[in-house]
Amino acid sequence: MGRLEDLAQHNANLARHELSEALNRLARLDDEGTLRARDLGRIAYAYHRMSWWQQVTDLICGHEETVDGASALLIVRQRAQELLINARPLTNGGLFALAMAESCRGGARAFLDATQTLADALTTPPARDACPAGGPTAHTASPAVAEPVISAREYHL
């Protein structure tokens, strides 16, 4: 296993530990008394945060498809971004459904925040030599040899 795979496993274990501590509050209810809303919120948030790291380790270990640590991290980041972008507001289901949806978004946001620097390091910046600093000039690009510009939609068809 490489460093990224080890890092993903470590973060997944930390998230599991956080969830375990939140769940231990339920086990101590007999001794301490009442369960508060923030205890349930902490459990839900920890669960959703852990689920994103679990997806990364599942990809690395081949539960879905086996990929390297960098690819797994970027794939799961894309999933988290899609969840945040495409999440529709709940209009029914009660307060519990609203709270779970919010904790799911919070877990996705926490995962994205925790992996932002790493993702920036993994993605390659655009090539500096793709276009000269001053832009194309008459002597570097003539209309006779310039390639036609096509849209991304046409390219992928």
Side-chain angles (χ1 to χ4, degrees):
M1 236 186 226
R3 290 189 64 174
L4 285 174
E5 290 83 359
D6 291 340
L7 179 67
Q9 188 64 46
H10 175 72
N11 281 306
N13 288 338
L14 287 176
R16 282 186 201 96
H17 180 71
E18 181 184 341
L19 177 60
S20 176
E21 286 187 355
L23 289 170
N24 282 339
R25 170 81 173 106
L26 288 176
R28 292 189 308 257
L29 273 180
D30 291 338
D31 300 334
E32 295 181 13
T34 61
L35 180 67
R36 294 180 286 278
R38 71 173 182 239
D39 296 323
L40 293 175
R42 185 175 169 213
I43 291 168
Y45 175 77
Y47 170 77
H48 288 294
R49 189 172 161 270
M50 187 247 349
S51 71
W52 292 107
W53 285 107
Q54 185 64 48
Q55 288 181 49
V56 174
T57 58
D58 285 350
L59 283 169
I60 292 169
C61 296
H63 293 285
E64 292 181 38
E65 57 184 87
T66 303
V67 296
D68 63 296
S71 297
L73 184 73
L74 294 174
I75 289 168
V76 177
R77 278 185 56 82
Q78 181 65 34
R79 291 176 185 173
Q81 289 170 344
E82 287 173 4
L83 177 116
L84 291 174
I85 291 169
N86 298 326
R88 298 191 183 268
L90 293 177
T91 56
N92 58 11
L95 292 177
F96 181 77
L98 289 171
M100 288 303 287
E102 184 60 30
S103 67
C104 183
R105 287 189 296 273
R109 182 79 255 158
F111 176 76
L112 289 172
D113 289 345
T115 58
Q116 182 65 50
T117 304
L118 188 55
D120 290 344
L122 292 173
T123 55
T124 57
R128 290 185 174 254
D129 59 335
C131 185
T137 59
H139 68 278
T140 59
S142 66
V145 293
E147 293 182 10
V149 177
I150 60 172
S151 71
R153 174 178 240 158
E154 293 172 340
Y155 178 74
H156 291 291
L157 291 176

